[in-house]
Amino acid sequence: QVQLIESGGGLVQAGDSLRLSCAASGRTFSSYAVGWFRQVPGKEREFVAAISWSGGSTIYPDSMKGRFTISRINAKNTVYLQMNSLKPEDTAVYYCAASLSYYMGSRYPNEYEYWGQGTQVTVSS
């Protein structure tokens, strides 16, 4: 079992950068793949990035590649999402999620067993 807490969100201007953190509890955290998803009211969750249990493999949708970077430091039980060149359309609640079953990472929210509470990112025009 793992518990996840996101932090680092806030209000920024277009073009700014943010780094989100996902802090996890549990001795076996390093066994889990971790993904980032985002959601706005009235829309389904959108895949942002994922990283394998070891950090050796990452997945991004084409729309995020080059602007967003996921990383992890297992010794700190933490996964990061570095977001650069933010745009107003990036405004959303960002969630991290952990998967033991899909340990290489997944694009699909239903393949993650554990979720954090989310952190709001707002990008002004």
Side-chain angles (χ1 to χ4, degrees):
Q1 187 174 358
V2 64
Q3 292 182 319
L4 308 171
I5 301 176
E6 303 95 332
S7 63
L11 174 63
V12 298
Q13 296 181 351
D16 286 353
S17 297
L18 278 176
R19 188 178 74 165
L20 306 183
S21 296
C22 176
S25 65
R27 181 188 177 193
T28 60
F29 171 70
S30 62
S31 298
Y32 292 77
V34 173
W36 285 95
F37 295 81
R38 66 188 186 186
Q39 189 167 28
V40 298
K43 297 217 169 189
E44 62 186 9
R45 281 170 292 179
E46 179 185 17
F47 173 67
V48 174
I51 191 165
S52 64
W53 67 275
S54 66
S57 180
T58 57
I59 307 170
Y60 303 95
D62 288 342
S63 60
M64 311 297 177
K65 192 175 296 184
R67 292 198 302 125
F68 290 8
T69 302
I70 189 170
S71 62
R72 70 190 297 165
I73 302 177
N74 285 341
K76 295 183 178 180
N77 276 12
T78 302
V79 171
Y80 304 96
L81 181 68
Q82 178 68 43
M83 305 186 295
N84 297 327
S85 301
L86 285 165
K87 305 173 181 179
E89 51 263 46
D90 295 320
T91 296
V93 177
Y94 284 72
Y95 299 90
C96 68
S99 176
L100 183 60
S101 299
Y102 293 85
Y103 58 87
M104 295 299 293
S106 171
R107 296 176 173 87
Y108 308 108
N110 65 334
E111 294 175 348
Y112 289 83
E113 293 93 35
Y114 304 99
W115 291 82
Q117 84 288 350
T119 185
Q120 175 70 231
V121 173
T122 302
V123 185
S124 63
S125 301

